[in-house]
């Protein structure tokens, strides 16, 4: 049986149908390198509106640089200025971008600081969730949270929204007093304002792809822990702290195992895990601040859900190495993020529970892929995904990218 499974899998690898698009260039031309984003944000919940005042610091990649094109969808701009001089800059709002003409010509040794004030009612990227009440009790407060992957951040932040450009980020997020903001990197300050609001200042000093920048706004209780001096934060709804040891109790074991397997210490200054409502995925590996669906995490209350939640938590943490530290250059190579993170679920289980549990997980991944590949409606592609399209998640986030990727890595390891 094992031999038959192995032969079937190898045949599937060899004879996977080749889709159109194999000659397409999935990379994106860049004329500049973003160094740093500063985001100053506030909200009008009733109108689902975001008010932004953002600074983008960039360097040209060559001389004779005069025009900056930024990704921006359905954003209304008030002003665009050279932050250093305060001079207003001419700009055109085009489909899905803003084209800014600079005040002079710049070269590769120059650093340009653009400041843009704007508002948006984003259809993607930022999501407003209403409070939920059951039996006269609040299950969770109203929430605002982001989801950047694949390319959703430019619906609320003018930016270069593609994975091969990495920059540091900084956020000043103003919310209602009593709410919590969870963001990437270090919480630098928390300032109460006269108008019954609070501003949270987060700073992420390690360059990262823009789709990994995130924040969550809501009323939360935090459970704190640490691993070798790295702060660990678990953010759950008020009154639900009991779920933390059930869902997240093995987080430190995962840290230890992944550091040992990769030979690389956890590369960041903290790790938060936050639950949110109405999340479309199980989890998202936003850098240092993973977002998770409350519906998924709450399954840890039941015996049948314990293993599923453990796999989810290990998968998202594994992305700190595979996806966040080392990132696919383009979306056709997404399996390098997801296939490795899926494989690390099994690798973690091997260290925690033994070889047989590892093989069980790999067999499970292979079975999920075979079931998907046998579907008549399935669009086939190789691990290098020639169907990749950031506007259509269905052709990228599939069992080929995840489970087949995991099983292929297992095959390579065993051989």
């Amino acid at each position: 049986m094992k031999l038959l499974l192995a032969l079937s899998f190898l045949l599937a690898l060899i004879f996977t149908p080749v889709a159109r698009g194999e000659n397409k260039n999935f990379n994106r031309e860049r004329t500049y390198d973003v160094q740093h984003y500063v985001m100053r944000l506030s909200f009008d919940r009733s109108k689902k509106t975001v008010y932004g005042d953002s600074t983008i610091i960039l360097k040209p990649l060559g001389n004779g640089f005069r025009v900056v094109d930024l990704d921006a969808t359905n954003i209304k701009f008030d002003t665009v200025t050279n932050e250093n001089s305060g001079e207003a800059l001419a700009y055109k709002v085009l489909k899905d971008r803003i084209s800014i003409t600079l005040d002079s010509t710049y070269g590769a040794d120059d650093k340009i600081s653009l400041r843009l004030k704007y508002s948006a009612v984003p259809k993607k990227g930022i999501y407003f969730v209403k409070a939920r009440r059951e039996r006269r009790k609040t299950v969770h407060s109203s929430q605002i949270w982001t989801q950047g992957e694949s390319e959703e951040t430019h619906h609320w932040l003018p930016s270069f929204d593609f994975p091969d450009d990495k920059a540091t980020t900084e956020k000043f997020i103003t919310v209602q007093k009593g709410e919590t903001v969870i963001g990437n990197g270090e919480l630098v300050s928390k300032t109460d304002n006269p108008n019954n609001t609070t501003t949270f200042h987060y700073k992420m000093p390690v360059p990262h792809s823009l789709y990994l920048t995130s924040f969550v706004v809501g009323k939360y209780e935090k459970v704190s822990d640490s691993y070798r001096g790295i702060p660990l934060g678990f953010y759950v709804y008020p009154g639900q702290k009991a779920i933390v040891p059930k869902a997240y109790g093995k987080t430190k074991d995962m840290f230890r195992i992944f550091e040992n397997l990769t030979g690389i210490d956890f590369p960041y200054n903290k790790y938060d895990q936050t639950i949110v409502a109405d999340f479309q995925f199980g989890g998202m590996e936003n850098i240092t601040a993973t977002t998770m669906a409350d519906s998924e995490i709450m399954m840890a209350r039941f015996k049948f859900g314990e293993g599923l939640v453990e796999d989810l938590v290990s998968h998202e943490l594994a992305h700190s190495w595979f996806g966040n530290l080392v990132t696919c250059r383009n979306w056709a190579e997404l399996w390098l993020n997801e296939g490795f993170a899926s494989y690390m679920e099994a690798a973690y289980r091997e260290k925690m529970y033994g070889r047989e549990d590892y093989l069980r997980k790999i067999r499970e991944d292979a079975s999920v892929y075979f079931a998907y590949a046998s579907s008549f409606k399935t669009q086939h592609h190789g691990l290098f995904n020639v169907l990749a399209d950031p506007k259509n998640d269905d052709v990228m986030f599939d069992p080929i990218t995840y489970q087949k990727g995991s099983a292929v890595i297992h095959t390579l390891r065993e051989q």
Side-chain angles (χ1 to χ4, degrees):
M1 181 63 186
K2 289 183 178 179
L3 178 60
L4 179 61
L5 180 63
L7 289 172
S8 299
F9 184 68
L10 290 172
L11 287 171
L13 294 183
I14 296 170
F15 294 110
T16 296
V18 177
R20 295 179 181 178
E22 55 268 17
N23 295 321
K24 179 180 176 180
N25 181 8
F26 290 92
N27 298 321
R28 182 174 171 185
E29 183 180 356
R30 283 198 289 141
T31 59
Y32 58 86
D33 177 27
V34 178
Q35 307 287 296
H36 187 61
Y37 291 97
V38 181
M39 304 157 232
R40 307 170 190 88
L41 303 173
S42 60
F43 312 95
D44 184 333
R45 283 175 168 80
S46 64
K47 297 179 180 179
K48 296 185 177 180
T49 299
V50 180
Y51 297 99
D53 177 1
S54 297
T55 299
I56 302 160
I57 301 170
L58 57 90
K59 294 188 69 174
L61 292 177
N63 295 320
F65 185 77
R66 188 68 188 267
V67 176
V68 180
D69 286 337
L70 297 171
D71 300 317
T73 297
N74 295 327
I75 295 177
K76 181 182 178 182
F77 292 93
D78 299 319
T79 61
V80 178
T81 59
N82 181 324
E83 188 170 50
N84 294 327
S85 67
E87 182 176 347
L89 300 176
Y91 64 90
K92 293 181 181 179
V93 178
L94 307 170
K95 184 181 178 181
D96 295 326
R97 65 187 172 98
I98 178 174
S99 185
I100 303 167
T101 301
L102 301 175
D103 47 355
S104 63
T105 299
Y106 291 85
D109 294 329
D110 296 318
K111 189 175 285 188
I112 303 163
S113 183
L114 302 174
R115 188 159 184 171
L116 304 93
K117 296 183 180 181
Y118 55 90
S119 61
V121 183
K123 294 181 179 179
K124 292 183 176 182
I126 288 182
Y127 297 85
F128 293 82
V129 178
K130 293 182 179 179
R132 180 183 167 196
R133 290 179 60 83
E134 290 182 357
R135 299 175 184 176
R136 298 182 180 179
K137 291 184 178 180
T138 300
V139 177
H140 62 73
S141 68
S142 61
Q143 301 171 1
I144 307 171
W145 46 260
T146 60
Q147 169 56 30
E149 193 176 26
S150 306
E151 296 175 9
E152 295 193 15
T153 303
H154 68 274
H155 288 260
W156 59 270
L157 174 69
S159 54
F160 189 90
D161 197 2
F162 198 75
D164 73 336
D165 187 32
K166 294 192 175 188
T168 54
T169 54
E170 196 168 356
K171 300 181 186 72
F172 296 83
I173 300 180
T174 299
V175 296
Q176 298 169 3
K177 197 169 184 178
E179 290 185 309
T180 297
V181 177
I182 302 99
N184 313 109
E186 177 189 1
L187 177 59
V188 178
S189 66
K190 176 184 171 183
T191 305
D192 289 331
N193 307 312
N195 61 348
N196 206 35
T197 63
T198 302
T199 299
F200 289 74
H201 177 197
Y202 278 94
K203 194 169 187 177
M204 181 62 209
V206 181
H208 57 278
S209 298
L210 193 66
Y211 74 88
L212 297 168
T213 193
S214 70
F215 61 83
V216 174
V217 178
K219 292 184 179 179
Y220 286 92
E221 287 188 18
K222 180 183 180 182
V223 176
S224 297
D225 203 345
S226 66
Y227 168 79
R228 291 179 50 192
I230 298 167
L232 306 179
F234 310 96
Y235 289 88
V236 296
Y237 304 148
Q240 297 190 2
K241 284 186 176 181
I243 196 65
V244 171
K246 294 179 181 178
Y248 299 114
K250 295 184 174 67
T251 296
K252 290 194 282 189
D253 289 316
M254 297 170 188
F255 267 82
R256 173 179 52 80
I257 289 169
F258 291 159
E259 287 186 339
N260 179 263
L261 288 173
T262 63
I264 298 172
D265 290 346
F266 180 75
Y268 307 114
N269 57 6
K270 73 151 190 196
Y271 189 63
D272 291 335
Q273 297 176 85
T274 304
I275 63 172
V276 299
D278 299 344
F279 199 58
Q280 61 263 55
F281 301 110
M284 177 61 204
E285 64 275 13
N286 300 308
I287 196 161
T288 74
T290 288
T291 305
M292 292 174 165
D294 57 5
S295 56
E296 298 279 334
I297 294 302
M298 291 304 168
M299 286 198 302
R301 295 176 296 179
F302 310 104
K303 192 69 178 176
F304 75 87
E306 290 177 355
L308 297 174
V309 174
E310 191 171 359
D311 287 340
L312 171 62
V313 174
S314 68
H315 180 103
E316 301 306 333
L317 177 60
H319 273 305
S320 294
W321 288 266
F322 300 99
N324 297 5
L325 181 62
V326 178
T327 310
C328 58
R329 183 181 182 185
N330 58 55
W331 297 117
E333 296 282 18
L334 179 63
W335 86 276
L336 294 169
N337 290 14
E338 300 299 350
F340 271 90
S342 298
Y343 176 77
M344 293 301 278
E345 297 176 37
Y348 157 76
R349 286 188 164 277
E350 183 175 29
K351 293 294 184 181
M352 281 291 287
Y353 306 117
R355 176 73 173 176
E356 186 51 42
D357 197 47
Y358 164 83
L359 292 174
R360 175 200 62 78
K361 188 71 171 68
I362 295 298
R363 287 194 294 268
E364 184 179 287
D365 285 344
S367 296
V368 169
Y369 163 64
F370 283 133
Y372 176 81
S374 65
S375 169
F376 290 108
K377 296 181 180 179
T378 297
Q379 290 184 287
H380 292 281
H381 59 84
L383 291 179
F384 182 87
N385 185 359
V386 297
L387 301 176
D389 179 2
K391 294 181 179 179
N392 183 2
D393 285 347
D394 291 342
V395 299
M396 299 201 303
F397 296 89
D398 59 22
I400 299 175
T401 301
Y402 287 76
Q403 284 86 0
K404 178 180 177 179
S406 170
V408 167
I409 295 167
H410 161 75
T411 304
L412 292 172
R413 172 196 177 188
E414 295 299 301
Q415 293 306 315

